[in-house]
Amino acid sequence: MKVIIVGGVAGGASCAARLRRLDEKIEILMVERGPFVSYANCGLPYYVGGAIEEESKLLVATEQMFKVIFNMDCRTNCEVVGISAKEKTVKLKNHLSGEVSIEKYDKLVLSPGAAPVRPPIPGLDLPGIFPVRTVGDSKNIKEWLERDIDRSVGNSFTGVDTVSKPKHAVVIGGGFIGLEMVENLIERGLSVVLLEKLDQVMPPLDPEMANLVKRYLKKHDVKVKTGDGVTGFRKTENGELEVLTEKGKVHPADVVIMAIGVKPETELAKMAGIEIGKCGGISVNEHMITSDPDILAVGDAVEVKDFVTGECTLIPLAGPANRQGRIAADVITGRKSKFRGTQGTSICKLFDAAIAQTGVSEKTLKKLGDTDYEKVYLFPNSHAGYYPGAKMLIIKVIFRKSDGKLLGAQVLGEDGVPKRIDSFAMAIQMGCTVYDLEESELCYAPPYGSAKDPVNFAGMVAANILRGDMPVIHWDSIGDSFLLDVRNPPEVAADPVPGAVNIPLPQLRSRLAELPKDRQIASFCRSAQRSYYATRILLQNGFKAVNISGSMLARSIM
Amino acid sequence: MKVIIVGGVAGGASCAARLRRLDEKIEILMVERGPFVSYANCGLPYYVGGAIEEESKLLVATEQMFKVIFNMDCRTNCEVVGISAKEKTVKLKNHLSGEVSIEKYDKLVLSPGAAPVRPPIPGLDLPGIFPVRTVGDSKNIKEWLERDIDRSVGNSFTGVDTVSKPKHAVVIGGGFIGLEMVENLIERGLSVVLLEKLDQVMPPLDPEMANLVKRYLKKHDVKVKTGDGVTGFRKTENGELEVLTEKGKVHPADVVIMAIGVKPETELAKMAGIEIGKCGGISVNEHMITSDPDILAVGDAVEVKDFVTGECTLIPLAGPANRQGRIAADVITGRKSKFRGTQGTSICKLFDAAIAQTGVSEKTLKKLGDTDYEKVYLFPNSHAGYYPGAKMLIIKVIFRKSDGKLLGAQVLGEDGVPKRIDSFAMAIQMGCTVYDLEESELCYAPPYGSAKDPVNFAGMVAANILRGDMPVIHWDSIGDSFLLDVRNPPEVAADPVPGAVNIPLPQLRSRLAELPKDRQIASFCRSAQRSYYATRILLQNGFKAVNISGSMLARSIM
């Protein structure tokens, strides 16, 4: 049995190593078009920024290691230029020697990854414009940032004749790579304009959560322009690079980073004549087998099932790619392993903050026409408020109305984000309901959490809603409710809500007569805790009462 | 309906607040023997150490708040001095006025907590010896640490006549409070001797994991004495305090902290004539109802079901206490809520490290005679090794041999501990197997994790064992196995294992003839990864091979 694996990074490398562990006898050939196998592409922005100092640190495993430890044929700078599924052969071209050869396979594993989107924009090939996909890309960017620019012929930035390093960057695309590049360019001392064609940065987040990310970027002096795509690049007479946008803006740039997303590399699949799915990735079944039973595919190039919605999706993440590689190896050696789909669990560092999500977003549910869900916003401390260093977490949790099943969570904050998103991720994997979250027993000591962890708290709030103890509404649907502000007068004075009547919570029981019995009373306070108490008092006194989820804090993010 | 709640901290306060939210009409009386309700007893060590500067920060909610917001009668400095379950009355004594009164109840909720164990040791009442249970205790310790000691009459510490603040502390008991006090006293600049009667610190951990904690304490200049209990205290002629031990040691001390554990306060239960369980806590059913249907009990005073083993247990933790309080309120108002038992999820900060556990320990399983389990040790990076700041995590995972169910996890490290222990905690709650852990999708970006998170990795290693892909043994059971060291020669030279034969992994396939076919070959390397590869090679070549779990790293902790 001979297996050829195309692509030697996350999915391919995992597959190759596991294949050898499972079977000493299989003949394995792994080919990688680039110069490195198994490199840390998630580290590239940090190599550019300088947090990772040595290029060698990015190389997780070497060609040599695959040969010696895993006893396989491993070839870098070697590209597949042809596949015959009928003959079960691939045509390989060695980019160093130019040599072309034909290799036969019994099973073929495709792990070509996803390539940065390159829209047909005039000037995209001008010097100073870079994607961030390979070690080579990041080296090119570093070199570019370290070279001197002659500003003597004219200078649209400083107006002073001089020579300097690049100072002004434009990052195009506000997803993971875009944001990581923004941070790392700022760390290097550059000023950064972030251009995003969509109305929000960080596409996996819901818009109101992404809006917080935008604010946070602005706080860190990033000029964020959402809803404005790039239309072209040009070089001025003085040799300066400029970025032109849909809205007619011109952004001068010493360097431009293209991070507008990736799309599955499907050239190989097309060569092989295998099916491409409706999301544009290679179609595979749960065993990672394509439409050709002898060809498997893994990683960013394939489309997989969304674990929560059951729909097809493209999720270019390292974790699923690695697990798919293992599963493909299992399947080739006769095991029945299955990929259970992806939850889209992901996290992004942004200065001191982390942005994380798992499961489905509200906008995805809306797109699917699913209305059987409810959401809550929470703003708890990352750990006991009385212990130094607690930061506010901003949490959005989405759950099914009919049975309480947890569907998705989005968490932002400067402390304790990974702890919470992983609890939610594990919960979603295991089919957890909000009633389970209420009863979760997570670690607590004052430096790390609270006796009621934010995850419990999310469960409690959600369960209160589903049990009917606390009907909620959101700011965008208050309609003609009677708005009851139960904050204390100084809070109200500092941030009043037009049209709301203020009755501080401690006075509520004695002032019920001031409230209408025939209208829905929507209470709010700062975080929705006191207004929850108010809602309980009102409901038990015969009022039609609802709590405004997240209250003033949620209002501040809308 | 009138409900009296005895004890106004975690469980009692949670119960009272929820009771009011659920029912506006119930008459609620909450009494607290001490001067404060709902104070942050988990913060006390940090108040002593100075991380929490103001006493007021420890007061989460006030008597006034319970009265005004929750419309209840709330009395501090008020102790229950008698209960008649037959009459359904309690006798209350106000410690400030001396007034005694009788109150009738329909439902009584006991939340008296657990008291520091006070063994009958001579000299325990000498000045300078303190428990750490209440705000008052921590204030007393602070005051004691801030006063000057006249050393002029003789000085067993420095030999120099002078006046100084307390410099030398003895902490008795190496559990959570003991360790937190050690850290906080060191932070204040004291030298600390930690005395622990048992053979290990941190009782919830297994001994080999606790041993690492002991080493870590020593690295921070704590003099740790395990296996030596205190037998008495005395004052020398010079007025100095001394701690005497079972082993005949004498430790001079300017201050002594008693933290040898807590036991349920059962005096009230005895007054009420309700059942005490075999663990010594108040007996309750899953609805938190005691043997008297009108008396409920919650918090540290009750014994509950261990979620994993089903056995009764005493777990004095804030999280479960809060949840039990909520459940008691639910039950009183006619809901069917149940407490699902406790997993013992807990965490302790110790200098830069965190020590955490969830689920059952190996020593508990051994005590129960349960042999249907296996364990693995792992030593992964807290996040991608190529990103700065990664620290080694030390993880022990225990799982059921017959079905792969996760039973317990212990995690130590200086980075990323809360993230992992909460994933394990959620996994145990939801009945997760190691096969599920393999497929978990946890958050990954280089600053926070790895594409294969340590939690996945634990699942993969465990699943490899259960599938028979990687038989393992542990250092304490290698017997007369043939010991195969697959490390590289420089590693072997630096830390050789007597009796082991060295064949570096890259040479293994070509040197199989040197190995015996008739003996079990136990392979090891540094972390058990290369020896896993070796084991796979050997098994497929007809050898009887096993991997030594955790290899040299596990050996270093035994």
Side-chain angles (χ1 to χ4, degrees):
Chain A
M1 157 104 97
K2 178 169 175 182
V3 177
I4 298 180
I5 297 168
V6 185
V9 193
S14 289
C15 180
R18 181 151 175 92
L19 204 50
R20 173 56 71 232
R21 289 195 300 268
L22 292 179
D23 192 328
E24 274 286 299
K25 301 281 183 322
I26 287 180
E27 193 183 340
I28 306 172
L29 165 61
M30 179 166 79
V31 299
E32 165 59 40
R33 162 171 68 176
F36 306 112
V37 289
S38 207
Y39 64 89
N41 40 12
C42 303
L44 300 180
Y46 302 99
Y47 176 60
V48 172
I52 299 170
E53 289 174 23
E54 295 150 51
E55 184 193 322
S56 63
K57 287 215 164 184
L58 296 172
L59 307 176
V60 178
T62 60
E63 188 178 341
Q64 198 53 22
M65 184 183 146
F66 279 95
K67 287 179 176 166
V68 172
I69 305 284
F70 293 109
N71 190 30
M72 64 178 70
D73 189 353
C74 175
R75 306 181 198 167
T76 53
N77 297 300
C78 180
E79 187 166 5
V80 173
V81 292
I83 299 178
S84 165
K86 206 178 143 207
E87 310 277 333
K88 296 177 81 170
T89 58
V90 296
K91 187 193 276 187
L92 300 174
K93 181 169 182 184
N94 182 315
H95 283 301
L96 300 184
S97 65
E99 197 186 333
V100 172
S101 58
I102 303 277
E103 295 275 352
K104 245 191 112 38
Y105 65 78
D106 295 296
K107 297 283 178 188
L108 177 65
V109 180
L110 302 179
S111 179
V117 172
R118 273 181 66 86
I121 297 176
L124 190 57
D125 291 322
L126 284 172
I129 304 175
F130 301 93
V132 194
R133 190 195 188 190
T134 65
V135 176
D137 293 335
S138 58
K139 279 170 73 172
N140 291 341
I141 298 169
K142 259 179 106 97
E143 279 169 27
W144 185 265
L145 293 178
E146 278 152 16
R147 89 194 207 298
D148 289 318
I149 302 177
D150 180 1
R151 312 262 192 203
S152 59
V153 283
N155 195 319
S156 53
F157 296 121
T158 63
V160 180
D161 290 356
T162 180
V163 163
S164 79
K165 307 281 182 207
K167 288 179 176 173
H168 306 276
V170 175
V171 173
I172 300 173
F176 290 93
I177 307 291
L179 294 188
E180 287 174 352
M181 284 307 300
V182 164
E183 171 183 330
N184 278 290
L185 291 168
I186 294 264
E187 292 293 326
R188 282 190 73 113
L190 280 86
S191 77
V192 180
V193 173
L194 175 63
L195 269 188
E196 168 59 57
K197 192 186 174 75
L198 301 175
D199 285 331
Q200 66 165 83
V201 295
M202 205 36 130
L205 290 179
D206 282 319
E208 73 284 11
M209 300 297 277
N211 203 28
L212 289 166
V213 178
K214 184 175 172 181
R215 278 192 219 169
Y216 191 76
L217 284 163
K218 286 184 171 175
K219 240 178 75 181
H220 285 80
D221 297 325
V222 180
K223 287 166 211 76
V224 192
K225 312 287 173 191
T226 48
D228 195 12
V230 59
T231 53
F233 303 94
R234 70 176 177 214
K235 216 164 186 168
T236 66
E237 284 175 9
N238 297 331
E240 287 173 350
L241 188 60
E242 290 182 335
V243 183
L244 312 176
T245 79
E246 289 168 352
K247 288 187 177 165
K249 299 275 159 82
V250 178
H251 299 286
D254 293 331
V255 62
V256 173
I257 304 297
M258 290 297 292
I260 57 175
V262 295
K263 63 173 195 186
E265 292 252 25
T266 51
E267 284 310 306
L268 295 177
K270 285 170 191 161
M271 279 181 200
I274 59 179
E275 236 172 63
I276 306 298
K278 62 178 176 180
C279 292
I282 303 173
S283 246
V284 290
N285 66 12
E286 59 194 359
H287 302 298
M288 309 315 296
I289 298 171
T290 69
S291 58
D292 180 319
D294 294 319
I295 304 180
L296 295 86
V298 300
D300 296 357
V302 306
E303 58 183 61
V304 291
K305 195 182 69 176
D306 180 306
F307 181 75
V308 178
T309 67
E311 302 287 314
C312 85
T313 185
L314 293 169
I315 303 267
L317 291 171
N322 275 285
R323 293 197 302 282
Q324 291 163 12
R326 285 170 56 90
I327 288 166
D330 282 3
V331 169
I332 289 171
T333 54
R335 301 186 179 206
K336 304 283 175 214
S337 305
K338 289 178 188 177
F339 184 66
R340 66 177 179 87
T342 177
Q343 295 174 213
T345 310
S346 56
I347 190 165
C348 180
K349 177 181 178 303
L350 188 62
F351 305 105
D352 295 325
I355 303 159
Q357 54 262 311
T358 184
V360 77
S361 64
E362 185 179 7
K363 66 182 179 187
T364 298
L365 290 173
K366 279 184 175 164
K367 209 178 292 164
L368 296 172
D370 187 338
T371 56
D372 182 15
Y373 74 90
E374 183 52 272
K375 61 182 171 180
V376 289
Y377 297 96
L378 301 106
F379 303 86
N381 279 326
S382 59
H383 61 243
Y386 56 80
Y387 186 87
K391 304 276 182 179
M392 184 194 281
L393 288 166
I394 300 156
I395 302 180
K396 178 178 184 177
V397 170
I398 301 162
F399 51 97
R400 207 180 277 155
K401 238 192 290 191
S402 52
D403 62 6
K405 204 159 177 181
L406 183 64
L407 299 175
Q410 299 169 34
V411 184
L412 314 182
E414 294 185 323
D415 181 50
V417 173
K419 168 171 151 79
R420 275 54 185 233
I421 208 69
D422 276 3
S423 298
F424 285 126
M426 184 65 80
I428 289 175
Q429 179 186 357
M430 298 305 294
C432 196
T433 64
V434 298
Y435 310 109
D436 293 318
L437 291 186
E438 272 190 295
E439 299 300 321
S440 292
E441 194 177 303
L442 304 167
C443 70
Y444 161 54
Y448 308 109
S450 298
K452 287 173 191 155
D453 191 87
V455 172
N456 294 123
F457 196 53
M460 290 173 185
V461 174
N464 280 338
I465 295 172
L466 295 186
R467 291 198 187 101
D469 292 333
M470 184 185 75
V472 289
I473 56 170
H474 302 279
W475 284 104
D476 57 6
S477 57
I478 51 172
D480 63 348
S481 305
F482 180 93
L483 276 180
L484 177 64
D485 184 344
V486 299
R487 293 178 297 165
N488 293 326
E491 298 175 85
V492 179
D495 189 8
V497 174
V501 170
N502 178 228
I503 301 180
L505 177 62
Q507 301 171 15
L508 184 59
R509 287 185 183 87
S510 58
R511 293 177 61 184
L512 292 175
E514 298 172 33
L515 296 170
K517 282 265 177 182
D518 56 346
R519 282 175 69 187
Q520 171 169 288
I521 300 174
S523 299
F524 66 93
C525 59
R526 177 176 170 270
S527 70
Q529 180 137 25
R530 282 170 293 172
S531 52
Y532 162 45
Y533 302 161
T535 302
R536 292 300 304 156
I537 294 169
L538 294 172
L539 286 172
Q540 293 180 71
N541 281 282
F543 292 90
K544 189 161 183 292
V546 294
N547 190 10
I548 302 182
S549 178
S551 283
M552 291 304 288
L553 289 169
R555 191 168 185 260
S556 74
I557 70 172
M558 297 301 162
Chain B
M1 158 106 96
K2 179 169 173 182
V3 178
I4 298 180
I5 297 168
V6 184
V9 192
S14 290
C15 181
R18 181 151 174 92
L19 204 50
R20 172 56 73 231
R21 289 195 300 267
L22 293 178
D23 193 328
E24 274 285 299
K25 301 283 182 318
I26 287 180
E27 193 183 339
I28 305 173
L29 165 60
M30 179 165 80
V31 299
E32 165 60 40
R33 163 171 68 177
F36 306 113
V37 290
S38 205
Y39 64 89
N41 40 13
C42 303
L44 300 180
Y46 302 98
Y47 176 60
V48 172
I52 299 171
E53 289 174 23
E54 296 150 49
E55 185 193 322
S56 63
K57 289 216 167 185
L58 296 172
L59 308 176
V60 178
T62 60
E63 190 178 340
Q64 198 56 22
M65 185 184 146
F66 280 95
K67 287 180 178 170
V68 172
I69 305 283
F70 293 109
N71 191 29
M72 65 178 69
D73 188 355
C74 176
R75 305 181 198 168
T76 54
N77 296 299
C78 179
E79 188 166 4
V80 172
V81 293
I83 299 177
S84 165
K86 207 179 142 206
E87 311 277 332
K88 298 176 78 169
T89 58
V90 297
K91 188 194 275 187
L92 300 174
K93 183 173 181 183
N94 181 312
H95 283 302
L96 299 183
S97 66
E99 198 186 332
V100 172
S101 59
I102 303 277
E103 294 275 353
K104 243 190 115 36
Y105 65 79
D106 296 299
K107 297 284 179 188
L108 177 64
V109 180
L110 302 178
S111 180
V117 173
R118 275 180 66 87
I121 296 175
L124 189 56
D125 291 322
L126 283 172
I129 304 175
F130 301 93
V132 194
R133 189 196 190 192
T134 64
V135 176
D137 294 336
S138 58
K139 279 169 74 172
N140 291 341
I141 298 169
K142 260 180 107 98
E143 278 168 27
W144 184 265
L145 294 177
E146 276 152 18
R147 88 194 206 298
D148 289 318
I149 303 176
D150 180 3
R151 312 261 194 206
S152 61
V153 284
N155 194 321
S156 52
F157 296 121
T158 62
V160 180
D161 291 354
T162 181
V163 164
S164 80
K165 308 281 181 207
K167 290 180 177 173
H168 306 275
V170 175
V171 173
I172 301 174
F176 291 92
I177 307 290
L179 293 188
E180 288 173 350
M181 284 305 301
V182 164
E183 172 184 329
N184 278 289
L185 291 167
I186 295 262
E187 291 294 325
R188 284 191 70 114
L190 281 86
S191 78
V192 179
V193 173
L194 174 62
L195 270 188
E196 167 60 57
K197 191 186 174 77
L198 301 175
D199 286 331
Q200 69 168 79
V201 294
M202 205 37 129
L205 290 179
D206 281 320
E208 74 283 12
M209 299 296 277
N211 203 27
L212 288 167
V213 178
K214 184 174 171 179
R215 278 193 219 169
Y216 191 75
L217 285 163
K218 287 184 171 175
K219 240 178 72 182
H220 284 80
D221 296 325
V222 180
K223 289 166 209 77
V224 192
K225 313 287 173 189
T226 48
D228 195 10
V230 58
T231 53
F233 303 95
R234 70 177 177 212
K235 214 161 185 169
T236 67
E237 284 175 9
N238 298 331
E240 286 174 350
L241 189 60
E242 289 182 336
V243 182
L244 313 175
T245 78
E246 288 168 352
K247 288 187 177 165
K249 300 275 158 87
V250 178
H251 299 286
D254 293 332
V255 62
V256 174
I257 305 296
M258 291 296 292
I260 55 176
V262 294
K263 64 171 195 190
E265 293 251 26
T266 51
E267 283 311 307
L268 295 176
K270 284 171 191 160
M271 279 181 202
I274 58 178
E275 236 172 61
I276 305 297
K278 62 178 177 181
C279 292
I282 302 174
S283 245
V284 289
N285 66 13
E286 59 194 359
H287 302 299
M288 310 313 296
I289 298 171
T290 68
S291 58
D292 180 322
D294 294 319
I295 303 179
L296 295 86
V298 299
D300 296 356
V302 306
E303 57 183 62
V304 291
K305 195 183 68 177
D306 180 307
F307 181 74
V308 178
T309 67
E311 301 287 313
C312 85
T313 184
L314 292 170
I315 304 265
L317 291 171
N322 275 286
R323 292 197 302 282
Q324 291 164 10
R326 284 171 57 89
I327 289 166
D330 281 4
V331 168
I332 289 170
T333 55
R335 301 186 178 206
K336 303 283 176 217
S337 304
K338 289 179 188 175
F339 185 66
R340 66 177 179 87
T342 178
Q343 293 173 212
T345 310
S346 55
I347 190 165
C348 180
K349 176 180 179 305
L350 189 62
F351 305 107
D352 295 326
I355 303 158
Q357 55 260 311
T358 185
V360 77
S361 63
E362 185 179 9
K363 66 183 179 186
T364 297
L365 289 173
K366 280 184 174 163
K367 209 178 293 165
L368 296 172
D370 187 339
T371 56
D372 182 16
Y373 74 90
E374 184 50 275
K375 61 183 171 181
V376 289
Y377 296 96
L378 300 106
F379 304 86
N381 279 327
S382 59
H383 61 242
Y386 56 80
Y387 187 87
K391 304 276 181 178
M392 185 195 281
L393 287 167
I394 300 155
I395 302 181
K396 178 178 184 177
V397 170
I398 301 162
F399 51 97
R400 206 180 278 154
K401 236 192 293 193
S402 52
D403 62 6
K405 204 160 178 179
L406 182 64
L407 299 175
Q410 299 169 35
V411 184
L412 314 181
E414 293 185 323
D415 180 51
V417 174
K419 169 171 149 81
R420 275 54 184 231
I421 208 70
D422 276 4
S423 298
F424 286 125
M426 184 65 80
I428 289 175
Q429 178 187 356
M430 298 305 294
C432 197
T433 66
V434 298
Y435 310 110
D436 294 317
L437 291 186
E438 273 190 296
E439 298 300 322
S440 292
E441 194 177 302
L442 303 168
C443 71
Y444 161 54
Y448 308 109
S450 297
K452 287 173 191 156
D453 192 88
V455 171
N456 293 124
F457 195 54
M460 290 172 184
V461 174
N464 280 338
I465 296 172
L466 295 186
R467 292 198 187 100
D469 292 332
M470 184 185 74
V472 290
I473 57 168
H474 301 279
W475 283 105
D476 57 6
S477 56
I478 49 172
D480 63 349
S481 306
F482 180 93
L483 275 180
L484 176 63
D485 184 344
V486 298
R487 293 177 296 166
N488 293 325
E491 297 175 85
V492 179
D495 188 8
V497 174
V501 171
N502 178 229
I503 300 180
L505 177 63
Q507 301 172 16
L508 184 59
R509 287 186 183 86
S510 59
R511 293 176 61 184
L512 291 174
E514 298 172 34
L515 296 171
K517 282 262 178 184
D518 56 346
R519 282 175 69 187
Q520 170 169 288
I521 300 174
S523 299
F524 65 93
C525 59
R526 177 176 170 273
S527 71
Q529 180 136 26
R530 282 170 292 173
S531 52
Y532 162 45
Y533 302 160
T535 302
R536 291 301 305 156
I537 294 170
L538 294 172
L539 285 173
Q540 293 180 69
N541 281 284
F543 292 90
K544 189 163 182 291
V546 294
N547 190 10
I548 302 183
S549 177
S551 284
M552 291 305 287
L553 289 169
R555 189 168 186 261
S556 73
I557 70 172
M558 296 301 163

